[in-house]
Amino acid sequence: MLLYGQSVSRIVVLRIDHVTDSTTGISAARMGIRLTDLGFFTRAGRATALMELGAELPPVVLSSCWASTSTQQPPGRKRPATPEPATQRHLADAANDHDTSSSPSGNLTKHRADRLPAVPLAPNDTLTEHAAIRLAGDDIIVCETHGASVFLGNDAMVIIAERGNGLDVSGVSNSRRFHLHGPLVGAVGVRLFGHPPTSPQWSWAGRRDVRPIHLLTRLPAGCLYLGLGKHEQSHHSNGVMISAELTITPELTGDLLDRVRPPTEPDTLPDQTWLANIQASPTTALNQFVEGWVPETDEDLGEFPSSGWTLPEPLTAFYRLARHRPALLGQQNFLRRPEEWKLAHDGLIDFGHENQGGFIWLFDPSDADPVVWIDQDDYGLRPEHERMSGFLLKFAVYETMMNAHYKALSTELEAEHVEIVTARLTPLPWKPWRWPNDSTRFFVAPGMIAEVTDSGHGKFSMWIGAAHRSVLRPLRGLEIPWTRFEG
C-alpha cells in the first residue's frame, strides 16, 4: 500500500507493508507503532531507518536503525561505509550550499535551484547506499515501488532499482530507458511531470522541476551509478500514476547494461509450425500462431453475436480466439465486434480501422472468404492482397509484433542495414501489405517478427517484436543505428 505519510523529523514515510525488526521478527504493527512514529522503508523484509528517530520509540526498533543526519550511531549498528572522497566532498558542499529555511507547510525546506552543486559521478561508479541516498539532499521523502526505492530530496531525486529483467518491476529497460512501475504517490508525479491539469495547483505557466534525477542499481558491492534520468512519459489510472518512463543519459554501454540487467534465456519460444500453413490453410495457421504467441488472459469478452450480420467463417474463428485474448482485436489498429460494424458504401461492411482514422477496412458479407478492402486517405478504395482468412493472419502477426514486450526499431535505415538484418530472417510469402504505402514486408525467426517499410528518399523503417529479450541480443553487434533496442 502506498500512502502519503506525515513529516517525521527529516523524512516522510510513504510505504509500510510488512516492516519487521530484523532482530526479533516482531512487526511494527504488532508493537502498536504508528506510521508517523518511524521512518522505515522495507526491502525483502529488512527494515532500515532513514531518519532521526524519536526517543519515544521502543529500543527493539532503535537497535536496527541508523539515522540519516545524526552522527551518533544506535547501539549494535555499524556506521555505514564512508563514501569515496569525491562523493564525500560533494555531500559536504551540498550541505553548505543548501538553504534549510522551512517551507510554509513545515514539511519540506526550500530548494535553491541557483545553488545546485555539480555531481562528481560517472556511470559505473559504485557508491554505498548511504552515499547514494545523500545525493538527494535534505528533507527526504521515501517511496518504495515495485523493484525500486525513490528518494525525493531538496537537491535531487534518487532512484535505486534492484538488478533484474522483469517486465512488471522498476529498473533498466534498455540502454536508453529506465522504467518506474507503480502505483506511484503523487509527490513522485509532481517532481517528474509537474501538477496534473486536474490539480488546483496546475497552471499554464508551471514548469517541470529542474532538479536532477540520479539513477542507480543495487548490486552486492554497492549502488552502481547509471547516469541522469529525464522524464519522458507516464501512464495514469483513476488519477494515480501507474508507471513512468525516463531516458538515461548518457546511454549505457553494453557491458554496463549486462551488469544491471543480466542476460537470461527463455524457457521456450513460440514454434514456427504455423509457417507451413500460411498459404494452404490460413485459418489453421492463425490458430497455430495465436496459440504460440498470444496467451489467454483472465478477461472474458464473451460471445461475439452476429447482431444480424452474416459472419464469414474466418471471422468467426478469429473472434473465438479473441474471446480470452483482447489484444488480438488490436492495440495499434483495430477490428471491431459485429455489434459495432457499420454499413458503408456499395454494401460493404466497415469492420476495422487505423488508430487515428487514417483508413478503414471493409468486406462483402456475401462471400464465405471475402475480399478485404482498405479505404485509405490519399489512396481511395483498394482490395487487400489476401482474402479474409489470410488478412486476419497478417493482422494478428502485425499487431503481435507491434505490441511485443521487447522491440528493436528504426525509421531511418539504409538498404544495407535492412539486408544485414533480414539475411538472418525468413521472409513470409505475402505480397506487401497495403498500409502504409504498399511496401510493408514481413520476416520471422524463432521468437521474432519483423516488418520493413520503404520510407522514401532511400530510407527504410524496420520494426522488430520479440517474445524474449535474448532473441534480439544477436542483433546488438551489427552496428545498426537503432532508435530503440531492447536486446
Side-chain angles (χ1 to χ4, degrees):
M1 178 175 63
L2 293 171
L3 302 168
Y4 264 119
Q6 297 179 12
S7 179
V8 186
S9 183
R10 303 184 67 82
I11 286 200
V12 179
V13 180
L14 297 181
R15 174 172 178 163
I16 177 170
D17 281 345
H18 47 275
V19 177
T20 303
D21 175 69
S22 59
T23 304
T24 67
I26 301 174
S27 70
R30 287 183 59 191
M31 290 187 289
I33 302 172
R34 298 173 300 141
L35 177 66
T36 52
D37 286 335
L38 46 84
F40 289 89
F41 73 96
T42 176
R43 185 172 72 253
R46 179 174 63 85
T48 306
L50 297 174
M51 60 169 286
E52 295 174 340
L53 298 172
E56 73 278 6
L57 292 185
V60 66
V61 176
L62 288 173
S63 67
S64 60
C65 304
W66 58 270
S68 65
T69 54
S70 172
T71 57
Q72 182 178 0
Q73 298 300 304
R77 178 78 175 188
K78 294 181 179 180
R79 181 183 298 275
T82 304
E84 294 297 325
T87 302
Q88 191 172 7
R89 286 195 299 273
H90 160 65
L91 296 175
D93 292 342
N96 293 333
D97 290 344
H98 193 71
D99 179 357
T100 58
S101 59
S102 297
S103 67
S105 65
N107 291 337
L108 298 175
T109 61
K110 294 179 181 178
H111 168 70
R112 299 188 59 174
D114 59 333
R115 287 190 169 185
L116 277 177
V119 180
L121 293 171
N124 260 325
D125 285 351
T126 301
L127 287 72
T128 65
E129 188 152 340
H130 177 58
I133 295 169
R134 286 291 306 278
L135 293 173
D138 294 326
D139 300 300
I140 298 174
I141 296 174
V142 185
C143 168
E144 274 214 26
T145 186
H146 299 285
S149 302
V150 182
F151 305 89
L152 302 176
N154 285 355
D155 291 341
M157 174 189 288
V158 174
I159 304 175
I160 305 176
E162 300 293 342
R163 182 187 191 194
N165 242 327
L167 290 170
D168 57 351
V169 296
S170 301
V172 174
S173 297
N174 57 53
S175 61
R176 295 188 178 101
R177 186 67 63 93
F178 189 99
H179 174 72
L180 267 181
H181 190 83
L184 298 155
V185 295
V188 176
V190 170
R191 180 69 70 93
L192 289 175
F193 301 102
H195 292 283
T198 54
S199 169
Q201 295 175 280
W202 179 86
S203 72
W204 286 106
R207 297 181 178 179
R208 289 185 179 182
D209 201 295
V210 298
R211 286 170 284 186
I213 303 168
H214 299 290
L215 304 176
L216 302 97
T217 294
R218 189 179 283 114
L219 300 179
C223 293
L224 189 67
Y225 192 76
L226 306 178
L228 295 174
K230 178 184 178 184
H231 29 68
E232 291 294 340
Q233 62 183 11
S234 64
H235 301 280
H236 292 75
S237 177
N238 298 322
V240 177
M241 189 165 70
I242 57 175
S243 68
E245 305 296 330
L246 310 176
T247 297
I248 305 171
T249 304
E251 181 179 357
L252 303 183
T253 64
D255 290 342
L256 179 53
L257 183 62
D258 287 344
R259 290 185 67 187
V260 299
R261 198 202 62 190
T264 59
E265 294 297 326
D267 295 331
T268 60
L269 289 173
D271 64 46
Q272 294 185 289
T273 56
W274 62 280
L275 295 176
N277 292 307
I278 286 180
Q279 293 177 313
S281 180
T283 300
T284 300
L286 173 66
N287 276 273
Q288 294 171 329
F289 173 80
V290 170
E291 292 290 342
W293 274 91
V294 189
E296 286 191 338
T297 69
D298 293 333
E299 187 174 353
D300 186 353
L301 299 181
E303 300 287 346
F304 286 70
S306 64
S307 300
W309 303 101
T310 300
L311 269 66
E313 178 54 34
L315 260 179
T316 300
F318 181 87
Y319 287 143
R320 190 182 304 120
L321 290 168
R323 175 167 180 166
H324 292 282
R325 300 176 176 91
L328 195 57
L329 295 176
Q331 293 177 296
Q332 173 70 23
N333 304 314
F334 303 94
L335 298 184
R336 297 191 295 276
R337 300 172 63 102
E339 61 265 32
E340 299 170 349
W341 292 355
K342 301 174 183 178
L343 187 62
H345 45 72
D346 300 326
L348 299 179
I349 294 175
D350 171 1
F351 77 116
H353 62 278
E354 194 260 347
N355 69 88
Q356 297 181 24
F359 64 78
I360 58 174
W361 280 307
L362 312 99
F363 73 94
D364 181 351
S366 64
D367 196 337
D369 190 10
V371 173
V372 176
W373 298 80
I374 181 171
D375 190 354
Q376 183 179 357
D377 292 347
D378 301 325
Y379 287 92
L381 188 66
R382 298 170 297 155
E384 290 282 2
H385 292 299
E386 281 73 36
R387 287 181 172 269
M388 179 68 78
S389 56
F391 167 82
L392 292 173
L393 174 59
K394 186 180 286 189
F395 176 86
V397 168
Y398 177 80
E399 287 297 317
T400 301
M401 177 205 67
M402 289 291 290
N403 296 289
H405 291 303
Y406 305 104
K407 299 181 179 71
L409 60 97
S410 177
T411 58
E412 291 290 321
L413 294 180
E414 303 290 344
E416 54 265 34
H417 295 141
V418 173
E419 292 171 3
I420 289 172
V421 177
T422 57
R424 300 164 173 260
L425 310 177
T426 299
L428 294 186
W430 290 325
K431 293 181 180 179
W433 203 13
R434 292 291 193 190
W435 186 79
N437 60 11
D438 279 343
S439 68
T440 301
R441 297 171 292 143
F442 292 88
F443 303 81
V444 296
M448 182 187 298
I449 304 169
E451 65 92 1
V452 177
T453 300
D454 188 339
S455 301
H457 309 292
K459 301 291 185 179
F460 296 83
S461 72
M462 175 177 284
W463 189 297
I464 300 176
H468 192 271
R469 195 187 301 278
S470 63
V471 175
L472 297 173
R473 190 174 177 84
L475 305 181
R476 184 195 282 187
L478 298 182
E479 298 185 359
I480 305 297
W482 304 108
T483 53
R484 179 175 175 180
F485 185 80
E486 295 172 339

